[in-house]
Amino acid sequence: MPQDKTLDDLFLDTLKDIYFAEKQILKALPKMAKAANDPQLKAGFEEHRQQTEGHVDRLEQIFEMLGQPARGKTCEAILGIIEEGKEIMDDYKGAPALDAGLISSGQAVEHYEMARYGTLKAWATLLGHKDAAQLLDATYKEESATDKKLTQLATQTENAKAAA
Ligand code: FE
Ligand code: FE
């Protein structure tokens, strides 16, 4: 058991975790957009894919600030969340509740990201990485806004139809 690992190590490891996760999300979002029926939901996933490119970019800026290579570390959590999303896409293909399922998968992804970015921002502040904290906060806000938009869509048209 290594006893010398510090918060700096944990910060870097967690950056690698979310960097890996963002790259997986970048691949999953076009599939979710393609599967969605509701045009607003489709557009929402597409817009968030664009934002996600920015998230990857911000993380690369942070690695550079830290003088570290931008490298991902397998994140089993996001792989599991994305796998569940795939199951919903398969099991509910052509079904009235498909969009509701896609929204639920999207929210699981956003909540994972919010948890990571919230923690990373706090650690960056604690470790005196002011610029990194600002970048992490900017991404956190976009994840949170996306989550709220999905909550809104969850109560709109397609879901209402699926409940009828
Ligand atoms: Fe993201
Ligand atoms: Fe996101």
Side-chain angles (χ1 to χ4, degrees):
M1 273 292 203
Q3 299 297 327
D4 55 348
K5 290 213 178 209
T6 64
L7 189 60
D8 286 285
D9 298 309
L10 190 58
F11 180 61
L12 184 61
D13 275 344
T14 308
L15 281 171
K16 290 177 179 174
D17 171 285
I18 194 69
Y19 186 62
F20 174 92
E22 291 283 17
K23 292 211 157 176
Q24 296 297 315
I25 295 164
L26 209 45
K27 286 196 272 180
L29 281 168
K31 292 175 192 161
M32 293 168 83
K34 201 175 165 217
N37 287 308
D38 181 67
Q40 266 183 283
L41 181 58
K42 207 180 257 297
F45 284 140
E46 276 161 8
E47 191 199 336
H48 196 55
R49 199 205 66 90
Q50 297 273 73
Q51 287 181 330
T52 300
E53 280 182 9
H55 302 172
V56 168
D57 194 70
R58 286 190 189 118
L59 289 171
E60 286 171 355
Q61 286 181 54
I62 295 170
F63 282 118
E64 198 172 332
M65 285 171 182
L66 298 171
Q68 298 286 339
R71 207 172 283 156
K73 181 173 177 276
T74 304
C75 167
E76 296 293 349
I78 203 70
L79 292 176
I81 289 169
I82 289 173
E83 188 52 42
E84 282 194 357
K86 275 186 199 150
E87 265 174 45
I88 286 175
M89 279 192 256
D90 289 343
D91 295 352
Y92 285 82
K93 198 174 180 178
L98 174 66
D99 278 2
L102 288 170
I103 289 169
S104 75
S105 308
Q107 289 197 285
V109 170
E110 295 319 306
H111 280 238
Y112 181 73
E113 292 183 292
M114 285 160 70
R116 281 292 179 250
Y117 282 109
T119 298
L120 281 165
K121 184 195 156 188
W123 287 343
T125 303
L126 207 57
L127 293 167
H129 302 307
K130 253 193 196 165
D131 294 344
Q134 268 178 14
L135 290 169
L136 294 163
D137 183 56
T139 298
Y140 177 87
K141 285 190 174 123
E142 288 177 359
E143 313 293 19
S144 173
T146 301
D147 176 54
K148 285 201 183 82
K149 202 189 277 176
L150 287 169
T151 296
Q152 243 173 22
L153 286 172
T155 58
Q156 285 178 14
T157 53
E158 286 305 317
N159 266 7
K161 267 189 244 163

